[in-house]
Amino acid sequence: MIRLDNISKQNGHQILFIEASMGVQKGEKVGLVGPNGAGKTTLFRMITGQEQPDDGLVAIDAGMTIGYFSQDVGEMSGQSAVAAVMDGVGPVSALAAEMAKLEAAMVDPDQADDLDANIERYGEVQERFEELDGYALEARAREVLAGLSFSQERMEGDVGLLSGGWKMRVALARILLMKPDGMLLDEPSNHLDLESLIWLEAFLKNYDGALLMTSHDRAFLNRIVGKVVEIDAGSLITYSGDLDFYEQQRALGEQQRQAQYERQQAMLAKEIKFIERFKARASHAAQVQSRVKKLDKIERVEPPRRRQSVQFEFRSPPRSGDDVISLRGVHKAYGAQSIYEGLDFLVRRKERWCVLGANGAGKSTLLKLVAGATAPDRGTVNIGASVRMGYFAQHAMDVLDGEETIFESLDGAFPQAGQGALRTLAGCFGFSGDDVEKPCRVLSGGEKARLVMARMLFDPPNLLVLDEPTNHLDMATKEMLVAALADFEGSMLFVSHDRHFLAALSNRVLELTPEGIHQYGGGYTEYVARTGQEAPGLHPGG
């Protein structure tokens, strides 16, 4: 279906691919992995024909339709989310738009003179709409949007008024509705909440075309793919199996290469020692000569390239009192929509609460109430004695000064720290070498999130309030963060759609549902075992 044969590609001075090959067949679900900047997006763009390889061949089966979802969402406005999603499927959406316009015209007193013409035209358009199975398509479009957590109201609203994250979902829904022969999904799990993520997982498992995708979400990738293609130093290496299997095989391959390298190094050292020892003796001249020739011919084994991962170590935060957060009788509403009615909630020292709940259930609101970013309408929010809070939310990125470099931003926050300590800190969060000289205004969303996190954790608070801290983070940074937070001695209250993060770090669960608020002792893994669901209101496979 999709084949890349011996492709080579260079971007500026950077060589991305050297005679690399891979293929995706119908029905195969393939995960594309590799460090940031390895060329994953370039590979997608070559398959869709937006870029050409410098050398080699990209072959797509004749007549094959491909849907490509990228992080770069085009301009959408002036139509509803449903119309924008149907747009991707071609003429049906134009007919739906014309029907909507004619329906409005037929009840408009100013256009009464054109009523007969409009009724006649409406009949023609409706007939064609039905021929193309338009009503079924609209129902499917709504089903996909509902799966991605759109309310009816949001489906009808103007796409142009949606935030970037919701526009991404519209772009993704477009491709899912299209059901092309092949799907290329670049980070489809970004910007999704847990419920949407689980719905998408089920959708993609049932998709019978060829799927090639990247994702920073471990659990998501692991459950969908049966094959992994790794971009490694210009090559494409294919592993059959899921992400866990790929990681085991990769580690095994590294161990074997390391052992091979060490054996060869020992042998070379022995030969060189012999040559050094006897090169001045005429009696051994022939032996020395033959060994020198032998050494010249040996193909050297390269040591495995170690992926750079720097571990971040927490300093111990100061100890807080036993009662860290206390909410009593809290009421909160936005207009007519009531979020909390008499909420009582207590966080004690060393508890790590993850907050679960469908969109609009009040997860972020709870975190804002605790952080003081919003006030309760009634009731009290008390932060305990000696509590120092670190609050991370998506708008936390706004605190960065665009003109400062990464290093200046860290240095301004910790003037006493010294250059070495700050460079190590930057390295832990993925900014190595000259990266620290980048001005904040050119940073991507993920880089900004990493910088804000670094500033927050260097001199750690004893209470972390985190709203989707893993959005935009790549797998390596996430692993580092999970490892660091696992040793964190303070208390935590957090919202995350990353199941690996939830399972690794929570020891309590607060579940917000329309039926009421439930508290569970034990972390996310115990919650799943106890309720039989991965998110409130969702059942396995549903």
Side-chain angles (χ1 to χ4, degrees), residues 81-82 142 145-157 162 166 169 337 359-360:
V82 176
R142 288 178 183 277
L145 284 168
L148 295 173
S149 297
F150 275 75
S151 61
Q152 289 301 324
E153 198 181 338
R154 204 171 244 150
M155 287 182 202
E156 304 297 346
L162 295 176
W166 286 99
R169 296 186 196 208
Q337 191 190 4
N359 251 339

Side-chain angles (χ1 to χ4, degrees), residues 187-312:
E187 293 295 345
S189 52
N190 265 5
H191 301 287
L192 294 187
D193 53 59
L194 191 53
E195 292 74 20
S196 307
L197 203 55
I198 293 166
W199 178 85
L200 180 59
E201 202 171 273
F203 186 98
L204 293 177
K205 277 181 183 167
N206 292 324
Y207 169 66
D208 56 8
L211 173 65
L212 179 65
M213 69 171 188
T214 64
S215 173
H216 292 327
D217 188 311
R218 264 195 96 76
F220 179 71
L221 206 54
N222 219 358
R223 292 174 189 207
I224 294 170
V225 306
K227 185 164 143 183
V228 172
V229 172
E230 179 187 38
I231 304 178
D232 188 19
S235 304
L236 290 167
I237 306 159
T238 301
Y239 297 81
S240 47
D242 62 12
L243 193 69
D244 285 345
F245 179 77
Y246 146 75
E247 286 182 338
Q248 288 161 7
Q249 291 301 305
R250 192 180 195 287
L252 202 62
E254 265 188 7
Q255 282 169 4
Q256 288 167 345
R257 278 209 303 281
Q258 186 66 31
Q260 227 179 334
Y261 171 74
E262 284 167 8
R263 279 198 302 275
Q264 191 183 64
Q265 288 299 307
M267 182 272 289
L268 293 174
K270 210 166 149 187
E271 294 292 325
I272 289 164
K273 197 173 173 186
F274 179 92
I275 292 165
E276 287 299 320
R277 191 170 162 197
F278 294 111
K279 67 180 177 191
R281 298 192 193 175
S283 58
H284 286 70
Q287 274 174 293
V288 167
Q289 217 43 47
S290 92
R291 291 196 184 201
V292 168
K293 276 184 189 154
K294 184 174 129 188
L295 283 190
D296 284 346
K297 283 184 189 155
I298 285 176
E299 195 172 322
R300 303 295 160 105
V301 175
E302 291 290 321
R305 277 183 314 282
R306 294 263 173 249
R307 286 270 163 93
Q308 286 303 306
S309 67
V310 192
Q311 285 313 311
F312 175 67

Side-chain angles (χ1 to χ4, degrees), residues 31-103:
L32 183 64
V33 301
N36 276 354
K40 297 189 284 285
T41 301
T42 302
L43 188 90
F44 283 147
R45 290 173 65 82
M46 287 194 289
I47 293 172
T48 56
Q50 290 167 285
E51 286 191 38
Q52 299 303 318
D54 301 334
D55 213 358
L57 187 69
V58 176
I60 311 286
D61 281 4
M64 180 179 178
T65 54
I66 288 183
Y68 173 38
F69 170 76
S70 76
Q71 295 295 302
D72 189 13
V73 176
E75 186 41 54
M76 298 184 218
S77 63
Q79 55 184 161
S80 70
V82 176
V85 170
M86 288 167 66
D87 238 4
V89 186
V92 173
S93 62
L95 294 169
E98 192 177 348
M99 275 164 60
K101 211 176 261 176
L102 288 165
E103 282 165 12

Side-chain angles (χ1 to χ4, degrees), residues 266-450:
M267 182 272 289
L268 293 174
K270 210 166 149 187
E271 294 292 325
I272 289 164
K273 197 173 173 186
F274 179 92
I275 292 165
E276 287 299 320
R277 191 170 162 197
F278 294 111
K279 67 180 177 191
R281 298 192 193 175
S283 58
H284 286 70
Q287 274 174 293
V288 167
Q289 217 43 47
S290 92
R291 291 196 184 201
V292 168
K293 276 184 189 154
K294 184 174 129 188
L295 283 190
D296 284 346
K297 283 184 189 155
I298 285 176
E299 195 172 322
R300 303 295 160 105
V301 175
E302 291 290 321
R305 277 183 314 282
R306 294 263 173 249
R307 286 270 163 93
Q308 286 303 306
S309 67
V310 192
Q311 285 313 311
F312 175 67
E313 300 214 345
F314 267 107
R315 301 195 216 162
S316 288
R319 187 187 159 123
S320 71
D322 285 340
D323 287 359
V324 179
I325 304 166
S326 165
L327 280 75
R328 294 237 170 110
V330 166
H331 288 249
K332 183 71 186 172
Y334 292 112
Q337 191 190 4
S338 177
I339 308 285
Y340 293 115
E341 292 178 7
L343 169 67
D344 292 324
F345 176 52
L346 176 66
V347 175
R348 294 179 65 78
R349 194 168 72 84
K350 288 205 170 181
E351 289 182 344
R352 298 154 170 241
W353 287 85
C354 70
V355 187
L356 301 180
N359 251 339
K363 299 188 296 287
S364 293
T365 301
L366 176 65
L367 270 50
K368 283 177 184 164
L369 284 165
V370 167
T374 190
D377 301 335
R378 289 213 318 272
T380 59
V381 178
N382 284 319
I383 303 301
S386 314
V387 171
R388 260 184 52 203
M389 188 191 311
Y391 174 47
F392 177 88
Q394 295 314 302
H395 65 259
M397 274 64 117
D398 304 344
V399 304
L400 299 174
D401 177 343
E403 295 313 306
E404 284 187 341
T405 65
I406 291 172
F407 186 80
E408 284 166 351
S409 178
L410 293 173
D411 192 36
F414 309 108
Q416 311 300 315
Q419 191 160 359
L422 293 181
R423 281 189 175 273
T424 305
L425 172 68
C428 287
F429 284 87
F431 302 113
S432 51
D434 294 340
D435 283 350
V436 295
E437 299 308 328
K438 277 188 189 173
C440 292
R441 66 185 143 72
V442 305
L443 300 183
S444 67
E447 288 172 322
K448 284 179 181 167
R450 296 202 312 259

